[in-house]
Amino acid sequence: MAGLALTGGLLTAGTAAATAPAAPAAAPGGAPETGAAEHYTWDNAQIGGGGFVPGIVFNRSEPGLAYARTDIGGAYRWDEAGQEWIPLLDHVGWDEWGYSGVASIATDAVDPDRVYAAVGTYTNDWDPNNGAVLRSSDRGETWQTSELPFKLGGNMPGRGMGERLVVDPNDNDVLYLGAPSGHGLWRSTDAGETWAEVASFPNPGDYVLNPDDPWGLENDIIGVAWITFDPATGSPGSPTQTLYAGVADLEESVYRSTDGGATWQAVPGQPTGFLPHKGVLDEENGHLYVATSDNPGPYAGEDGEVWRLDTADGTWTDVSPVPAGDDRWFGFSGLTVDRQNPGTVMVTGYSSWWPDTQIFRSTDSGENWTQAWSWGAYPERAKRYEMDISEFPWLTFGSNPQPPEESPKLGWMTEGMEIDPFDSDRLMYGTGATLYGTTELTNWDRDETFTVRPMVRGLEETSVQDLAAPPGATEVLSGLGDVGGFRHTDVERVPDAMFPAFGTTTSLDFAELSPDTVVRVGNHVGEGTAPLVGFSTDGGSTWFQGTAPSGATGGTVAAAADGSRFVWSPAEGAGPHVSVGFGNSWTASRGLPQGARVEADRVDPDVFYGIAGGTFYVSTDGGATFSASAATGLPTGDVRFAAVPGARGDVWVAGGGLWRSTDAGATFTEVEGIAADNIGFGAAAPGADYHALYSSGVVDGVRGIHRSLDAGATWERINDDEHQWAWTGSAITGDPDVFGRVYIGTNGRGVIYGDTSESGGGEPGPGPGPGPGEPPAEADCSVGYRVSGQWQGGFQGEVTLRNTGDEPLSDWRLTWAFPSGQRIGQLWNGTFAQSGADVTVSPAAWNATLAPGASATIGFTGSWSGSNEAPRAFAVDGTACATG
């Protein structure tokens, strides 16, 4: 792990792993989790993969039944009718978040309704729990849990090896599990309910990738990697007698039992010097194939071999598709055989990053091989395949590499690959970014082109670092690990492109009064030189790079309310900095500690906030200087906080509790009743006068996603026990335009969104205060609008704001929406921001305060086409004004 902050399955060269979530907030009490709001429905914002798929398993007795496992995002079942994947582990809760890392999965050929998952994300102390075997008798619809006395590593080195968990094809009450960490081989004889170590197994493995790793990620024993059966040595209802097991050991790695697992011996004559990633038996021909590498993967491997054991006479034959030498710069994995055509075997060069992964195929038991691509006249490549990513166009990664590299790639980290046992034309394989496949595989043998397409719909496994939901056309912006993030204008459609330049977005923000202005910061995945800050002026559709403070990486970033400046607080390499404009230069902010979390006031562009170590900081000069607030009692650990749109100085802090300030952080009041992990705001409920609040947290002893429609006085759980998504502490936000819509960040299940069937749900909400065109009976302001001159395509207008209340009107913000697409070009007596039809005007210094009865007139020139209708409604600071 590079530091402690990378996320998800790796997508480019380098090393990365899912972030270990912070310890859960203490629940006030220990009530069990319960069902909740039935008026909510849940789905993913559509991306399509976004992480590593290390394993795919087909059922051997029922056509069309297959399962996929991910390293941090749970397990999935293939729906043949819908041609999509169905998530199976969304029920995993906060306290068992490690169960979302799947070390192995097994489907039962005797009873296809049975499926098993070996779960646990880390074998070090990042995961506080031991591993478990989950067992289901209804294809993953419901599960029972058998806890293990050791940990499993679904996101550890070697996770592409396997499968570690298998069901005896003759006696399906018998299962085997290969354990890491020196725990050896385990067996269950009661369909996975109880487990015991196979004491006679002679070698738990001794290979360790990096004994000196201080994080405990690379210094654990990889262990027993796979088990396979010879079904002919058993009979229905009686255990299979001959089994093979692969162990991560460079000297003796392949073992065999001929007495139903009672005793084991190293197979004589076996190859040495490499690790056995996969072991697959061609039962018809009696050939055991073993694919090996010099590294446990899934990223690295500079050499390897493929061997064939003739199980009848014990002869080992090196059938490597590429001989040792300069042409072999990778290890082998992805081993699979065609059950319809014995003797047909395939394997991948899983660790060939440049120029692409390689896939090999033999139809004569490994004697001769062909490959998916070969060299032409350099740098050209001759390919047997073509790629069709039209449904998931972001898989180009926005790149246009020089030949011989291409975009999209055929893949990388290609460890999980399977030929459908009932359909020789269907192949599926996982990569570090998605799951690809073809339904034309046998074209290969006729020297005809076959098409490779993503077969990933429904499988979502990105790690979400941040979310933002601006008003207007954009529904949600996501900051993601490894793949940067996306702009969704429709959560039901896959975006065309990911965010460019750097791989992980740790934080993003938009300017509340100019929401098309967006900023993001983050980290490189693997090698990269682009500055780790990007800007957009079209809502995240396109991006350009700014400069960065020297050494700055990651952290959090905030955009001023009007988009005039940005404050970046890097996690490492530099202290907080402020930039006026789009990052052309940065100036160190004074008074704010290194690594503080930052946010912007959503109304006043001069006000920024920060928090670190339980102290709240405020800047009133646009982020140049910060001062510590006198507020006390704020959390000192992992904190998320946010400022409220439309209300200057309204700030909420979450971190094991919830606190609110209405005076720009000078004081805070604790909100009773919720132990909150994060906080977000959405459109107000019909008739309500404050934003809907959303939080992942604990209420009355029950953890879940909670909502408040009365400014935090009461809370309702809106998810249920089948929709928990493990860890949800990173980010949450409501939709400002649609009442009830909420977006939730997960660590491996992507961006979840929920919609409500309540009255008013799914429709644009009124926001806080009266809706447009509905001024209060006694408004404290009135607005007059007139066109003072008009010509073809252009006009001059005036807007007069009058204070009709009894109190001074200070630091006002006047808003309206043009009904006919008009655009302001120049404005005087104030400043303006326009996003689409929406206009926000801020005062000049001399008219920033209007005494009772006083007025200010704003003049402007603008453009129009078609018609030039007057705005129908105006508001000041979110409160509607009388018109006329």
Side-chain angles (χ1 to χ4, degrees):
M1 189 176 219
L4 280 175
L6 292 179
T7 56
L10 189 71
L11 302 176
T12 58
T15 303
T19 300
E33 300 191 13
T34 62
E38 295 182 357
H39 54 80
Y40 261 86
T41 57
W42 302 97
D43 204 346
N44 274 99
Q46 297 298 300
I47 294 171
F52 182 37
V53 182
I56 304 157
V57 178
F58 280 88
N59 188 277
R60 292 283 300 275
S61 62
E62 181 175 315
L65 180 59
Y67 295 88
R69 61 180 174 96
T70 70
D71 50 6
I72 63 171
Y76 294 80
R77 183 182 69 245
W78 178 250
D79 175 32
E80 183 71 12
Q83 294 290 290
E84 63 182 357
W85 295 95
I86 298 172
L88 301 179
L89 298 185
D90 283 356
H91 71 280
V92 171
W94 180 281
D95 292 339
E96 291 78 35
W97 62 264
Y99 288 5
S100 60
V102 184
S104 192
I105 196 162
T107 176
D108 187 338
V110 178
D111 181 354
D113 287 339
R114 291 189 191 179
V115 62
Y116 302 86
V119 297
T121 302
Y122 298 105
T123 61
N124 60 16
D125 59 6
W126 295 347
D127 190 338
N129 299 314
N130 283 338
V133 173
L134 307 182
R135 57 192 198 279
S136 173
S137 58
D138 53 13
R139 306 184 182 218
E141 293 297 318
T142 60
W143 298 87
Q144 294 176 296
T145 302
S146 295
E147 296 181 359
L148 297 169
F150 51 84
K151 296 184 178 185
L152 293 175
N155 198 39
M156 294 289 286
R159 59 191 180 273
M161 302 170 77
E163 291 290 319
R164 292 177 180 262
L165 179 66
V166 292
V167 182
D168 190 318
N170 287 300
D171 183 351
N172 64 336
D173 284 337
V174 175
L175 288 84
Y176 285 87
L177 172 65
S181 313
H183 292 292
L185 181 67
W186 288 66
R187 178 170 52 209
S188 172
T189 57
D190 55 9
E193 185 172 352
T194 61
W195 291 83
E197 185 174 2
V198 179
S200 62
F201 193 78
N203 184 4
D206 63 0
Y207 182 87
V208 173
L209 178 60
N210 177 13
D212 299 323
D213 177 24
W215 302 112
L217 186 73
E218 296 182 344
N219 62 0
D220 191 34
I221 294 173
I222 302 298
V224 181
W226 51 263
I227 306 99
T228 190
F229 298 90
D230 183 351
T233 62
S235 58
S238 298
T240 301
Q241 294 301 295
T242 299
L243 302 81
Y244 297 87
V247 179
D249 184 315
L250 295 174
E251 298 303 319
E252 283 191 339
S253 62
V254 182
Y255 290 82
R256 177 171 54 201
S257 173
T258 58
D259 54 10
T263 61
W264 295 80
Q265 298 81 33
V267 179
Q270 65 180 272
T272 62
F274 293 107
L275 301 174
H277 274 236
K278 304 282 184 181
V280 177
L281 183 66
D282 178 347
E283 299 142 9
E284 296 297 319
N285 289 317
H287 291 153
L288 175 71
Y289 295 93
V290 180
T292 71
S293 176
D294 60 356
N295 188 286
Y299 315 122
E302 297 180 356
D303 200 0
E305 297 169 340
V306 180
W307 286 80
R308 184 186 70 211
L309 171 66
D310 187 323
T311 61
D313 64 17
T315 303
W316 286 93
T317 304
D318 183 348
V319 292
S320 302
V322 181
D326 293 341
D327 289 335
R328 193 168 76 195
W329 59 88
F330 44 79
F332 295 99
S333 191
L335 180 66
T336 183
V337 299
D338 186 343
R339 302 296 177 183
Q340 298 294 315
N341 293 287
T344 295
V345 58
M346 297 180 68
V347 71
T348 66
Y350 80 93
S351 50
S352 175
W353 290 85
W354 184 93
D356 210 337
T357 199
Q358 185 59 277
I359 301 177
F360 302 93
R361 180 174 172 90
S362 172
T363 57
D364 57 7
S365 301
E367 293 297 324
N368 297 281
W369 297 85
T370 51
Q371 52 200 52
W373 61 268
S374 57
W375 291 111
Y378 188 86
E380 295 178 359
R381 286 195 281 156
K383 300 182 299 181
R384 296 178 178 274
Y385 64 91
E386 60 182 12
M387 302 289 290
D388 176 6
I389 60 165
S390 55
E391 285 192 75
F392 302 90
W394 66 267
L395 286 167
T396 64
F397 277 60
S399 65
N400 186 24
Q402 292 295 314
E405 290 191 273
E406 297 179 355
S407 186
K409 284 193 170 187
L410 183 61
W412 57 91
M413 295 164 58
T414 48
E415 294 232 58
M417 182 172 73
E418 289 294 327
I419 301 171
D420 186 334
F422 294 93
D423 184 354
S424 298
D425 269 318
R426 178 155 67 176
L427 174 82
M428 293 183 180
Y429 67 95
T431 77
T434 191
L435 191 155
Y436 281 121
T438 183
T439 56
E440 305 165 337
L441 182 59
T442 58
N443 285 9
W444 184 316
D445 304 326
R446 297 186 293 271
D447 288 326
E448 297 174 3
T449 300
F450 59 93
T451 301
V452 174
R453 297 182 175 88
M455 291 185 174
V456 73
R457 186 164 295 280
L459 193 156
E460 301 285 350
E461 58 163 326
T462 49
S463 176
V464 182
Q465 309 298 296
D466 202 4
L467 294 171
T474 299
E475 291 188 342
V476 66
L477 301 166
S478 57
L480 304 178
D482 291 344
V483 291
F486 294 88
R487 173 187 185 237
H488 274 90
T489 57
D490 182 350
V491 290
E492 296 181 0
R493 297 186 60 187
V494 176
D496 288 339
M498 57 187 278
F499 295 159
F502 52 91
T504 289
T505 296
T506 58
S507 176
L508 54 79
D509 194 18
F510 66 91
E512 189 68 41
L513 305 181
S514 181
D516 281 345
T517 301
V518 186
V519 60
R520 59 184 279 259
V521 298
N523 301 310
H524 289 299
V525 177
E527 298 178 359
T529 59
L532 293 168
V533 59
F535 299 92
S536 174
T537 56
D538 57 9
S541 180
T542 61
W543 293 82
F544 56 93
Q545 294 302 113
T547 61
S550 179
T553 63
T556 56
V557 70
D562 62 356
S564 61
R565 61 183 60 213
F566 307 88
V567 173
W568 180 8
S569 179
E572 296 178 340
H577 279 67
V578 60
S579 176
V580 178
F582 295 107
N584 294 321
S585 63
W586 295 85
T587 302
S589 298
R590 299 188 301 276
L592 188 63
Q594 162 79 42
R597 180 173 286 273
V598 294
E599 296 284 353
D601 191 88
R602 311 311 287 182
V603 175
D604 191 333
D606 291 327
V607 177
F608 287 84
Y609 306 108
I611 192 169
T615 299
F616 198 79
Y617 297 85
V618 182
S619 172
T620 57
D621 58 5
T625 62
F626 284 80
S627 299
S629 164
T632 60
L634 294 175
T636 59
D638 196 25
V639 173
R640 304 290 191 274
F641 79 105
V644 176
R648 185 185 186 279
D650 194 348
V651 183
W652 296 69
V653 173
L658 187 62
W659 293 261
R660 183 188 181 189
S661 174
T662 57
D663 54 13
T667 61
F668 280 87
T669 301
E670 186 168 4
V671 178
E672 300 294 335
I674 184 169
D677 312 311
N678 48 33
I679 187 68
F681 315 106
D689 59 2
Y690 197 76
H691 305 266
L693 306 181
Y694 299 93
S695 179
S696 164
V698 180
V699 174
D700 293 332
V702 178
R703 169 162 289 285
I705 305 300
H706 299 275
R707 184 186 72 180
S708 175
L709 303 181
D710 52 13
T714 61
W715 295 85
E716 173 196 22
R717 186 187 183 204
I718 57 175
N719 70 318
D720 56 66
D721 287 356
E722 296 307 309
H723 299 90
Q724 299 191 74
W725 314 290
W727 192 74
T728 53
S730 62
I732 194 169
T733 183
D735 191 300
D737 301 321
V738 179
F739 167 62
R741 168 73 65 86
V742 59
Y743 305 100
I744 302 166
T746 74
N747 190 47
R749 273 287 286 120
V751 179
I752 300 291
Y753 73 94
D755 279 323
T756 180
S757 60
E758 298 165 288
S759 177
E763 299 295 334
E774 301 177 16
E778 297 180 2
D780 290 337
C781 55
S782 67
V783 175
Y785 177 91
R786 76 183 187 96
V787 174
S788 55
Q790 181 171 306
W791 54 94
Q792 184 60 42
F795 71 108
Q796 181 171 320
E798 289 182 355
V799 181
T800 300
L801 167 65
R802 181 178 299 277
N803 182 358
T804 59
D806 298 328
E807 301 291 334
L809 190 60
S810 300
D811 293 328
W812 47 269
R813 297 291 184 273
L814 175 63
T815 57
W816 72 84
F818 279 122
S820 305
Q822 300 98 319
R823 301 287 301 183
I824 293 178
Q826 184 178 14
L827 182 141
W828 50 94
N829 298 338
T831 59
F832 81 99
Q834 184 169 357
S835 176
D838 298 325
V839 177
T840 299
V841 175
S842 303
W846 58 268
N847 61 7
T849 299
L850 298 179
S855 64
T857 297
I858 309 301
F860 66 90
T861 58
S863 60
W864 62 279
S865 61
S867 62
N868 191 16
E869 299 178 61
R872 302 182 182 92
F874 297 84
V876 168
D877 298 337
T879 300
C881 299
T883 56

